Amino acid sequence: MDTASNGNVFDRIRDKGTIFSEEKMKSCFQAFDKDRDGGLNASEFGSMIRLLFCNENGKPYAVSAQRVGEMFAVFDSNQDGIVDLEEFRNCWTQWIRQVNFRNLRHFFSF
């Protein structure tokens, strides 16, 4: 799935701004798993983070590589260098769904 040329991945996984389903969570995971190895490496995870951290106008905030690495370490709970589907599920339920929707509204079409 090409997030650069076809809009944002969150356009394709939205759920009317309410609770994201398991299916949508898996779609998001697969969209960022560019090498299709079943896990998000630090680079893939960083791409996702940079899409999430934007202001209400859709302008990305600067997120340093160090900050992305710190977030990656939080969700890579087994510290194997990959955020697997189960770890991503925790990221999804504990964090992604909780991100202020107002700041993501430009990613979603209603």
Side-chain angles (χ1 to χ4, degrees):
M1 193 177 287
D2 183 3
T3 61
S5 64
N6 295 326
N8 192 286
V9 66
F10 295 103
D11 287 335
R12 294 182 289 278
I13 62 162
R14 67 168 174 79
D15 189 17
K16 301 296 183 194
T18 59
I19 297 173
F20 296 146
S21 69
E22 177 80 5
E23 178 182 325
K24 293 183 189 312
M25 182 272 304
K26 287 180 182 178
S27 293
C28 181
F29 178 82
Q30 292 168 349
F32 286 101
D33 181 15
K34 296 294 186 190
D35 59 11
R36 305 289 185 238
D37 66 352
L40 302 182
N41 60 38
S43 176
E44 293 164 333
F45 185 83
S47 295
M48 180 187 70
I49 295 302
R50 287 181 178 89
L51 286 174
L52 286 174
F53 283 100
C54 325
N55 68 19
E56 60 275 358
N57 297 319
K59 183 178 179 186
Y61 294 116
V63 182
S64 71
Q66 179 180 347
R67 177 64 78 185
V68 170
E70 291 167 356
M71 288 185 261
F72 182 80
V74 167
F75 293 109
D76 180 20
S77 58
N78 65 4
Q79 302 299 300
D80 66 353
I82 298 291
V83 173
D84 62 31
L85 185 59
E86 192 58 38
E87 291 166 327
F88 185 78
R89 182 177 286 110
N90 291 331
C91 178
W92 183 265
T93 58
Q94 295 174 18
W95 183 65
I96 293 174
R97 290 190 334 185
Q98 307 303 319
V99 172
N100 184 340
F101 182 74
R102 189 184 82 158
N103 290 339
L104 295 177
R105 70 176 179 230
H106 73 281
F107 292 126
F108 297 84
S109 58
F110 293 106

